[in-house]
Amino acid sequence: MEALKQRIIKDGIIKEGNVLKVDSFLNHQLDINLFEKMGEEFKKRFEGQEINKILTIEASGIAIACIVARHFNVPVVFAKKSKTKNIAGEVYTSKVESFTHGRVYDIIVSKDFLNPEDKVLIIDDFLANGQALIGLSNLVKDAGATLVGAGIAIEKGFQKGGDLLREQGVRVESLAIIDEMDVEKGIKFR
Ligand code: 5GP
């Protein structure tokens, strides 16, 4: 998606450790008009697919997911990062290793909000090593729901997540795929 790529080039900041900061439009301050265009694009890419629920993960995924969900006219469920023990029974849970924070945490979704009848589109801001996406798809699997696909704003194509998920048969649609990212040479898109 050209508008997103241009914005990444204009305002994205490359940090140590393969991290791209997009705080001025995607992760902290939010450019709602850009989100609107992203919603339109995901709607186009998943045209004809039956989707009745959007699933994302707190915190950065929520804002994007909400605007995307307006285009599909479906509810959003977000997985919570949980510190609570002893929650088995009422929730689906999975472990995720955080790319940006380097630690493992549990993600949970109440059993009330994911059902075997659900046709789920996962939305997230970034795809790096794929841990967040794998964790979310495990929740979908545990609920007996159907995973229609995943819509990602920015995929870092030089990390393994995209290939891993696609090899597993997940339809991953990314609006901007970065193949190279270097403080001196800048950003190269696929
Ligand atoms: P993964 O689980 O695919 O390794 O990483 C995805 C998650 O880590 C995303 O939900 C996102 O919050 C965070 N993340 C991964 N790479 C980046 C990055 O380069 N910049 C930012 N801002 N977040 C990232």
Side-chain angles (χ1 to χ4, degrees):
M1 188 185 138
E2 202 46 41
L4 177 60
K5 290 180 183 172
Q6 290 307 325
R7 193 60 182 274
I8 294 168
I9 289 170
K10 185 169 159 272
D11 292 328
I13 298 165
I14 302 165
K15 296 280 189 189
E16 290 293 304
N18 283 332
V19 171
L20 178 68
K21 285 213 92 167
V22 286
D23 279 6
S24 64
F25 62 98
L26 197 81
N27 279 157
H28 195 5
Q29 174 171 261
L30 311 174
D31 182 340
I32 298 303
N33 290 329
L34 180 64
F35 283 23
E36 189 62 28
K37 288 188 191 132
M38 286 163 46
E40 259 169 43
E41 181 66 24
F42 282 129
K43 178 73 177 143
K44 230 186 271 169
R45 293 198 190 192
F46 287 97
E47 196 64 66
Q49 299 288 311
E50 197 187 334
I51 290 163
N52 75 326
K53 203 160 277 185
I54 301 240
L55 177 67
T56 188
I57 181 165
E58 66 176 358
S60 305
I62 297 175
I64 302 170
C66 287
I67 297 210
V68 173
R70 293 285 302 153
H71 288 265
F72 287 86
N73 196 25
V74 299
V76 175
V77 174
F78 67 90
K80 299 188 178 194
K81 293 172 180 170
S82 163
K83 293 181 194 83
T84 324
K85 298 254 184 309
N86 228 344
I87 37 170
E90 305 138 38
V91 296
Y92 298 111
T93 177
S94 181
K95 290 208 180 301
V96 170
E97 188 182 338
S98 161
F99 175 77
T100 37
H101 300 108
R103 59 185 168 81
V104 177
Y105 53 87
D106 293 305
I107 59 169
I108 61 162
V109 163
S110 165
K111 287 187 176 173
D112 290 338
F113 305 128
L114 266 187
N115 311 295
E117 302 78 40
D118 285 333
K119 315 259 185 296
V120 180
L121 173 65
I122 295 176
I123 295 287
D124 204 3
D125 59 342
F126 273 91
L127 174 57
N129 290 324
Q131 294 305 300
L133 242 179
I134 289 167
L136 289 169
S137 64
N138 284 340
L139 300 179
V140 174
K141 226 178 277 169
D142 288 352
T146 305
L147 179 60
V148 177
I152 302 293
I154 305 172
E155 175 178 340
K156 292 186 290 181
F158 53 88
Q159 290 180 267
K160 64 178 197 288
D163 289 345
L164 200 73
L165 269 299
R166 290 184 183 99
E167 274 162 24
Q168 288 179 13
V170 179
R171 178 173 172 196
V172 181
E173 292 286 345
S174 302
L175 302 184
I177 304 180
I178 296 173
D179 271 339
E180 282 175 43
M181 196 171 87
D182 184 274
V183 181
E184 259 137 51
K185 293 189 212 142
I187 290 172
K188 214 167 134 190
F189 293 102
R190 187 165 299 176

